[in-house]
Amino acid sequence: MAATFFGEVVKAPCRAGTEDEEEEEEGRRETPEDREVRQQLARKREVRLLRRQTKTSLEVSLLEKYPCSKFIIAIGNNAVAFLSSFVMNSGVWEEVGCAKLWNEWCRTTDTTHLSSTEAFCVFYHLKSNPLVFLCQCSCYVAEDQQYQWLEKVFGSCPRKNMQITILTCRHVTDYKTSESTGSLPSPFLRALKTQNFKDSACCPLLEQPNIVHDLPAAVLSYCQVWKIPAILYLCYTDVMKLDLITVEAFKPILSTRSLKGLVKNIPQSTEILKKLMTTNEIQSNIYT
Amino acid sequence: MASRYDRAITVFSPDGHLFQVEYAQEAVKKGSTAVGIRGTNIVVLGVEKKSVAKLQDERTVRKICALDDHVCMAFAGLTADARVVINRACVECQSHKLTVEDPVTVEYITRFIATLKQKYTQSNGRRPFGISALIVGFDDDGISRLYQTDPSGTYHAWKANAIGRSAKTVREFLEKNYTEDAIASDSEAIKLAIKALLEVVQSGGKNIELAIIRRNQPLKRKKYL
């Protein structure tokens, strides 16, 4: 028994392994109901990759079925808006499939009927060059689902002759630096690349002790392990919702080799972006 | 480290931070941009108005408020907190006039607001006000003033400043472009305020509102485009 700071008495875990152990074991034994619930939960949280027309599941992983030389992944609403206005409007992109998944962050409890307005991951390829792929991921992929997502998209033995570019955002308060956050020029870009990525980034590399989280980290780790050249462009911003200035902070990437040839009309793209902003504005009177 | 010292306002962290106050400054950044410029014969406040819902009465969404005939302020941050602070400041302006028969100086009312904000960073059970304010006006001696307060309760005089979202970008613009020539005439000062806001305002100039006070004249509001 131990007393905490607030005076409550808490049972301390016993390392000696006394008679108490047997009682605890009985409570911990899994009943058939527990197993059933666990299996149901696993089914609910399964990541499904669906073909576009037929909406049936893909038997193999996406990149095993379709060869790919360039893959651009946008994770988060600002990165998705950037690709939508600058890249997707400069060519004809065809949807090849989508990944549907459910976790506690989804706004709906219905797992089977996620509508297309619900956020999930959509995969496109360029009609004029089907080796170029794009993924728009505006949903949150939970830790236990990231491995499944990678398996379903990249497969268990990916090709090495492709280049991956990941775009995502993070709140500037997550950026660890000796300067005060008030003096940071947010939004700003940082890059992190795998060992096999030989080109240079268009912005400084992410300094220590900062780390990358969630799906972008999972993809980068996967690429590092499989020796695939990949680069992540991380935008630190103080506005996490859809914001024009944050999206425009991604603009330096347009001049890199990753996106070269994919962007044609920049002024028109800026107009499209502005329209996207106004249609997506949610009314809130809390802050003025 | 931060998570153990940031729940209570009255607790310092080992390295001397008051995290709740610093987090309140993040709340300020969620408000739209406001810029203040002190000219020789004019003071200008410019704000980015966010678009109102279709059925909402536009007149009730106010970012610039008059505290008295000769003082006005713009804020960025939590709307409700601003309303409370503005009400207290207006009452204080009138109370001062009744007691000493003189209108408040801009510095006096700024100090009052700053003291109020500081009190809320040192009381248990309360949280800091999540607003920064730009207070402008002319004193009896005819000199123009611009002050800025923040959630920690500090206040400083400025020649030109910005608060709210992307304030840093606007401040850098002002540092480059605020010259004696730029504020030489009233129209130049107004132009500078508009140009500074256009650096960061979304969807062009449709959402800019200005308030100007000229020496010995009442507050004038202008909506642009």
Side-chain angles (χ1 to χ4, degrees):
Chain A
M1 298 297 198
T4 65
F5 181 75
F6 297 102
E8 46 184 289
V9 175
V10 176
K11 186 171 177 186
C14 175
R15 285 183 282 187
T18 56
E19 320 84 68
D20 287 333
E21 211 179 77
E22 276 175 25
E23 283 175 31
E24 283 177 28
E25 274 241 16
E26 274 199 33
R28 270 206 298 258
R29 207 176 293 144
E30 202 179 58
T31 62
E33 283 116 0
D34 286 342
R35 211 173 298 133
E36 181 62 37
V37 167
R38 203 193 301 274
Q39 280 170 354
Q40 262 188 10
L41 200 61
R43 265 196 298 271
K44 210 178 179 191
R45 295 175 71 89
E46 200 187 313
V47 177
R48 297 193 304 279
L49 206 62
L50 305 169
R51 253 187 285 251
R52 184 180 73 97
Q53 296 101 333
T54 55
K55 292 295 178 199
T56 54
S57 289
L58 234 56
E59 321 82 29
V60 292
S61 72
L62 188 79
L63 296 189
E64 267 170 52
K65 192 174 166 71
Y66 301 99
C68 164
S69 65
K70 205 186 256 193
F71 197 176
I72 308 164
I73 309 175
I75 302 172
N77 52 2
N78 282 303
V80 164
F82 174 74
L83 282 190
S84 290
S85 6
F86 286 87
V87 176
M88 292 191 72
N89 274 300
S90 302
V92 181
W93 293 83
E94 198 188 348
E95 188 185 324
V96 282
C98 65
K100 264 189 175 182
L101 52 95
W102 178 90
N103 53 47
E104 297 75 26
W105 280 266
C106 289
R107 298 242 170 98
T108 167
T109 47
D110 186 346
T111 58
T112 46
H113 295 109
L114 285 171
S115 69
S116 55
T117 50
E118 292 287 337
F120 48 85
C121 308
V122 190
F123 299 90
Y124 302 89
H125 72 178
L126 191 58
K127 247 186 157 165
S128 55
N129 180 2
L131 293 177
V132 178
F133 273 78
L134 202 150
C135 171
Q136 300 276 57
C137 182
S138 28
C139 61
Y140 178 72
V141 182
E143 292 85 0
D144 57 319
Q145 295 172 316
Q146 284 159 17
Y147 180 72
Q148 272 190 62
W149 192 95
L150 287 170
E151 281 274 286
K152 296 266 162 82
V153 175
F154 288 90
S156 38
C157 198
R159 277 174 263 246
K160 295 189 187 19
N161 56 349
M162 56 179 165
Q163 197 191 68
I164 317 271
T165 309
I166 312 159
L167 305 174
T168 190
C169 280
R170 195 82 195 159
H171 200 276
V172 71
T173 47
D174 275 347
Y175 184 67
K176 296 171 182 52
T177 169
S178 48
E179 298 171 35
S180 83
T181 45
S183 62
L184 288 170
S186 61
F188 57 92
L189 275 185
R190 287 293 184 265
L192 194 60
K193 48 187 183 169
T194 61
Q195 210 162 8
N196 286 63
F197 190 88
K198 299 299 176 206
D199 295 339
S200 60
C202 63
C203 62
L205 292 181
L206 189 63
E207 305 90 343
Q208 296 247 4
N210 291 294
I211 61 173
V212 181
H213 302 77
D214 303 329
L215 188 62
V219 178
L220 261 187
S221 307
Y222 185 89
C223 293
Q224 172 68 6
V225 165
W226 287 103
K227 298 189 170 42
I228 304 171
I231 185 163
L232 162 71
Y233 286 104
L234 178 53
C235 177
Y236 281 102
T237 173
D238 45 12
V239 183
M240 282 311 282
K241 67 178 178 77
L242 200 59
D243 172 59
L244 184 71
I245 301 174
T246 305
V247 177
E248 292 198 327
F250 282 112
K251 269 181 160 169
I253 307 172
L254 296 174
S255 54
T256 63
R257 238 190 69 175
S258 314
L259 289 188
K260 208 158 57 165
L262 292 174
V263 183
K264 307 254 164 51
N265 195 343
I266 296 187
Q268 195 194 44
S269 305
T270 320
E271 282 309 309
I272 295 171
L273 181 61
K274 286 199 181 134
K275 271 201 207 119
L276 202 69
M277 291 294 152
T278 44
T279 48
N280 274 316
E281 242 173 60
I282 306 168
Q283 264 311 312
S284 164
N285 288 312
I286 302 180
Y287 300 97
T288 302
Chain B
M1 174 78 108
S3 53
R4 279 160 52 203
Y5 299 96
D6 64 0
R7 294 290 173 255
I9 177 64
T10 50
V11 173
F12 275 105
S13 74
D15 54 348
H17 287 275
L18 274 175
F19 282 108
Q20 279 300 312
V21 174
E22 291 180 21
Y23 296 165
Q25 287 171 340
E26 290 299 314
V28 170
K29 288 195 203 154
K30 288 187 135 53
S32 58
T33 320
V35 71
I37 298 196
R38 187 185 85 193
T40 335
N41 302 312
I42 188 175
V43 284
V44 186
L45 281 176
V47 297
E48 175 196 355
K49 285 185 344 181
K50 38 176 257 234
S51 48
V52 291
K54 261 199 197 155
L55 298 172
Q56 198 173 25
D57 189 337
E58 214 185 297
R59 294 169 302 169
T60 54
V61 181
R62 275 268 104 102
K63 216 165 135 74
I64 303 180
C65 307
L67 298 179
D68 203 348
D69 299 327
H70 62 300
V71 186
C72 77
M73 80 171 236
F75 67 91
L78 288 158
T79 324
D81 285 8
R83 193 184 65 233
V84 168
V85 168
I86 291 170
N87 282 345
R88 300 253 193 110
C90 289
V91 167
E92 177 62 21
C93 286
Q94 300 312 309
S95 167
H96 186 276
K97 221 188 267 190
L98 280 172
T99 321
V100 304
E101 294 191 352
D102 275 335
V104 292
T105 59
V106 185
E107 203 256 343
Y108 176 90
I109 195 65
T110 308
R111 197 169 356 115
F112 173 79
I113 292 175
T115 314
L116 175 65
K117 286 184 177 178
Q118 193 280 340
K119 263 192 227 147
Y120 277 66
T121 67
Q122 219 172 6
S123 303
N124 210 351
R126 298 179 182 189
R127 60 161 177 79
F129 285 104
I131 64 162
S132 277
L134 287 171
I135 302 157
V136 294
F138 280 88
D139 286 337
D140 264 351
D141 57 6
I143 301 184
S144 56
R145 310 262 184 219
L146 164 63
Y147 288 92
Q148 187 232 342
T149 65
D150 65 18
S152 62
T154 57
Y155 72 96
H156 298 279
W158 289 76
K159 293 182 192 160
N161 200 3
I163 54 175
R165 195 181 313 162
S166 315
K168 191 164 192 289
T169 316
V170 180
R171 208 174 303 125
E172 278 165 3
F173 176 88
L174 289 171
E175 279 172 15
K176 282 197 203 107
N177 294 289
Y178 184 94
T179 56
E180 288 312 311
D181 292 332
I183 51 145
S185 76
D186 294 356
S187 52
E188 290 297 314
I190 297 175
K191 260 190 236 168
L192 182 62
I194 298 179
K195 272 193 240 174
L197 269 181
L198 284 174
E199 291 280 300
V200 296
V201 156
Q202 301 185 14
S203 54
K206 281 205 196 93
N207 302 331
I208 296 183
E209 188 182 322
L210 286 189
I212 57 178
I213 304 186
R214 290 193 170 87
R215 191 179 295 116
N216 296 325
Q217 285 184 31
L219 169 71
K220 278 207 192 85
R221 287 178 198 275
K222 287 179 197 288
K223 273 190 216 151
Y224 276 87
L225 305 161

